[in-house]
Every structure is written in structure tokens, then in C-alpha cells.
């Protein structure tokens, strides 16, 4: 742990990212946009209400809206932040210099991953006080907010590992970025489309207790978020469509993306340094 905290790669990346005025300007603009969205939502709801009240169910709707906006931000920004961290060093011809240091491949890969997503994590954490506005009106418990925050952090690391993987394997940053966004698009829009198709097959009665929609749902971050926010509605949907699996969807998501994270990081660490074997003469 001490070696990780003293990681020169991590320290250098932190200084480059957090000493820039543009970083904090971007953070301020993001928080301002969220605040305007919340104030505007409350204003429109109370204006249309006869008594000018903001009910707990409306507060929950506002929280769900913010949650899906944050999830969209994570899925859109994370590939762009991570897909060029290794390939960018290779294009600038600084990767070989980095590999000659006494830093291990694990230390370099983890340092690049944490530093690349650190600003996004800061944006998510900085928005938590804005989220706390929902407590004034009810409808959301602190446990739900903490659960969503933990889910965000896990999703950032999981999708960040995919970007690191392509950045390590592909030499050109643009190709690594396209590949990362392609996989992200499949795991979001692609799985949602396949889920709807397989769900319609179940509803037509062609098959009974078909678990295929469950497997697509457990890979889709938006569906997992919806199951956190509306667990009863998603449970009723599962029972009515005959998915046939009672295992918690969030647990399946956690297991599957943990495996993806470990595999992506393992391959990235192994492929960072070329396997240089000294051939014996004679």
C-alpha cells in the first residue's frame, strides 16, 4: 500500500490533472449545470402544482433523473479518459523511458487507471451535496444515495479497465478510443436492444422461463441502476416476463464486471512490457 501511494506515475498524473485551472473550471461548470437543472425542475413542478408543493414522489423522480444523467456522464467520459493513457505515451515516445524505471507493470497500469478516472471520481463526489437536496423533500433514503455512489465508483473502474486494455494492446490512440467506445456502446445500447428483443420473445409465449433477457440485463449499467432505484418495478417485470432466475441482478453485475476488470487488468499488465527472453548462444 505504501509503494502504491508513493507511485511516481500516480503522483505525476495527479499533479498534471489537478494543478490545471481548466480542471477546476470544468468542475465548477458541471456543478453549476446540475444546480440549474435541480432548481429548474423544482420550479417547474411547484409552478404546475395547485398548492405549490414538491411531493416526495416528485423528489424521487428528480433523484432518478440526476442518477441517469450521472450514469450517462460516466459512460461517455470514462472511455475517453482511459483509452489513450498507454498508447499516448507510446505515440509521444515516452513509454520506453517509463518502462526503464524501477516501477513494475502493475504499478504503472494501476497508476494510469486511478489517475485517469480520478477527475471523474472528483466530479461524482463533488455532486453529492447537490444530491442531498432530495433529503429536504423525502422519497430517498441516505442508504440509496450511498449505494448509487458505490455503484458509480465500481462502474467507472470497470469501464476504465476496458479503456486501459485497448490502450495497451493498440498502438494508435484513435483506434484504441474507437474500440473502447464500441465495446461501451455494445454493453449499453447493444445489451438493451438484445434485452428488448429477447423479452418480446418471452412475452409472445414462444418460450417459457427463458433466462436470456436476464443475462443481457446483468451487463447493462442503466438497467442495474433502474433496479436500484425501482426494485419492486424491476422484480415485477422479471416475474411477468418469465426470466426464470431469482439471483439478484446487482450481484450478477458485480460478479461479471469484476471478472471483466480482473481479466482486462491482467492482460494489460502482461502486455505492457515485451516478453524479452535472452537466447542462450550455442
Amino acid at each position: 500500500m505504501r509503494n502504491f501511494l508513493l507511485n511516481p506515475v500516480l503522483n505525476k498524473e495527479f499533479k498534471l490533472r489537478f494543478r490545471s485551472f481548466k480542471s477546476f473550471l470544468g468542475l465548477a461548470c458541471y456543478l453549476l449545470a446540475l444546480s440549474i437543472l435541480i432548481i429548474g425542475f423544482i420550479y417547474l413542478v411547484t409552478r404546475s402544482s395547485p398548492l405549490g408543493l414538491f411531493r416526495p414522489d416528485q423528489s424521487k423522480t428528480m433523484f432518478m433523473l440526476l442518477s441517469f444523467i450521472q450514469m450517462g456522464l460516466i459512460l461517455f467520459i470514462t472511455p475517453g479518459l482511459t483509452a489513450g493513457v498507454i498508447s499516448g505515451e507510446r505515440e509521444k515516445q515516452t513509454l520506453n523511458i517509463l518502462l526503464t524505471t524501477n516501477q513494475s507493470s502493475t504499478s504503472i497500469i494501476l497508476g494510469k487507471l486511478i489517475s485517469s478516472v480520478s477527475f471523474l471520481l472528483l466530479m461524482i463526489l463533488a455532486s453529492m451535496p447537490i444530491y442531498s437536496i432530495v433529503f429536504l423533500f423525502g422519497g430517498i433514503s441516505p442508504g440509496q444515495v450511498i449505494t448509487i455512489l458505490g455503484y458509480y465508483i465500481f462502474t467507472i473502474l470497470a469501464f476504465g479497465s476496458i479503456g486501459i486494455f485497448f490502450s495497451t494492446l493498440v498502438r494508435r490512440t484513435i483506434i484504441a478510443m474507437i474500440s473502447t467506445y464500441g465495446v461501451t456502446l455494445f454493453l449499453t445500447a447493444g445489451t438493451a436492444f438484445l434485452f428488448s428483443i429477447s423479452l418480446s420473445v418471452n412475452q409472445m409465449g414462444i418460450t417459457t422461463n427463458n433466462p436470456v433477457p436476464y443475462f443481457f440485463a446483468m451487463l447493462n449499467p442503466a438497467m442495474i441502476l433502474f433496479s436500484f432505484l425501482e426494485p419492486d418495478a424491476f422484480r415485477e417485470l422479471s416475474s411477468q416476463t418469465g426470466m426464470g432466475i431469482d439471483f439478484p441482478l446487482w450481484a450478477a453485475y458485480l460478479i461479471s464486471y469484476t471478472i471483466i476488470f480482473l481479466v482486462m487488468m491482467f492482460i494489460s499488465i502482461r502486455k505492457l512490457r515485451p516478453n524479452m527472453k535472452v537466447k542462450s548462444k550455442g
Side-chain angles (χ1 to χ4, degrees):
M1 184 63 181
R2 180 175 178 272
N3 292 333
F4 178 74
L5 293 177
L6 297 178
N7 187 341
V9 176
L10 186 61
N11 293 336
K12 185 201 86 168
E13 295 291 338
F14 275 153
K15 291 178 181 179
L16 290 177
R17 290 182 184 273
F18 290 99
R19 285 185 177 180
S20 172
F21 176 74
K22 293 181 180 180
S23 298
F24 291 96
L25 181 61
L27 178 61
C29 292
Y30 172 69
L31 295 178
L32 180 61
L34 277 185
S35 302
I36 293 175
L37 178 65
I38 292 177
I39 295 173
F41 184 88
I42 295 175
Y43 173 76
L44 292 176
V45 170
T46 54
R47 187 180 180 183
S48 60
S49 176
L51 300 177
L53 299 177
F54 194 72
R55 299 189 302 273
D57 60 328
Q58 295 168 334
S59 175
K60 185 175 182 179
T61 302
M62 181 179 68
F63 179 77
M64 293 176 62
L65 176 63
L66 289 175
S67 299
F68 280 104
I69 289 175
Q70 292 269 44
M71 177 54 63
L73 175 77
I74 289 171
L75 296 175
F76 180 74
I77 294 183
T78 302
L81 291 175
T82 57
V85 291
I86 301 297
S87 58
E89 295 280 357
R90 189 181 290 114
E91 289 177 346
K92 292 184 292 185
Q93 298 183 355
T94 55
L95 181 61
N96 290 335
I97 299 175
L98 183 62
L99 295 179
T100 57
T101 64
N102 59 357
Q103 294 295 309
S104 64
S105 298
T106 303
S107 177
I108 293 174
I109 291 295
L110 288 179
K112 287 290 187 180
L113 174 63
I114 299 300
S115 62
S116 59
V117 301
S118 58
F119 183 71
L120 184 56
L121 291 172
L122 177 63
M123 293 177 67
I124 300 299
L125 292 174
S127 65
M128 286 298 107
I130 301 177
Y131 268 63
S132 63
I133 295 178
V134 299
F135 297 141
L136 299 176
F137 306 100
I140 295 294
S141 66
Q144 287 179 293
V145 176
I146 295 175
T147 300
I148 297 300
L149 176 61
Y151 172 67
Y152 284 157
I153 295 174
F154 177 78
T155 302
I156 289 172
L157 294 176
F159 280 85
S161 67
I162 298 174
I164 293 288
F165 168 77
F166 283 109
S167 183
T168 306
L169 262 64
V170 181
R171 290 186 173 273
R172 298 187 60 184
T173 300
I174 185 64
I175 300 177
M177 196 167 295
I178 292 174
S179 303
T180 306
Y181 273 109
V183 173
T184 303
L185 185 63
F186 170 76
L187 292 174
T188 52
T191 53
F193 176 74
L194 295 173
F195 172 80
S196 62
I197 295 239
S198 57
L199 206 61
S200 62
V201 171
N202 280 12
Q203 291 175 341
M204 287 188 295
I206 299 177
T207 59
T208 57
N209 292 331
N210 181 17
V212 174
Y214 179 89
F215 293 116
F216 289 131
M218 76 178 190
L219 294 174
N220 191 284
M223 293 185 186
I224 304 300
L225 181 60
F226 178 73
S227 68
F228 281 135
L229 298 172
E230 293 286 353
D232 296 333
F234 197 87
R235 196 178 300 114
E236 183 179 356
L237 176 65
S238 301
S239 61
Q240 289 179 354
T241 53
M243 291 187 191
I245 297 179
D246 294 330
F247 191 71
L249 195 64
W250 64 266
Y253 177 87
L254 184 66
I255 293 172
S256 59
Y257 275 91
T258 298
I259 295 174
I260 291 174
F261 174 82
L262 294 176
V263 171
M264 296 293 101
M265 297 304 292
F266 177 77
I267 297 177
S268 300
I269 291 170
R270 293 297 299 267
K271 294 295 183 180
L272 180 63
R273 297 177 188 270
N275 189 13
M276 301 174 63
K277 295 182 179 180
V278 180
K279 295 182 180 181
S280 57
K281 297 181 179 181

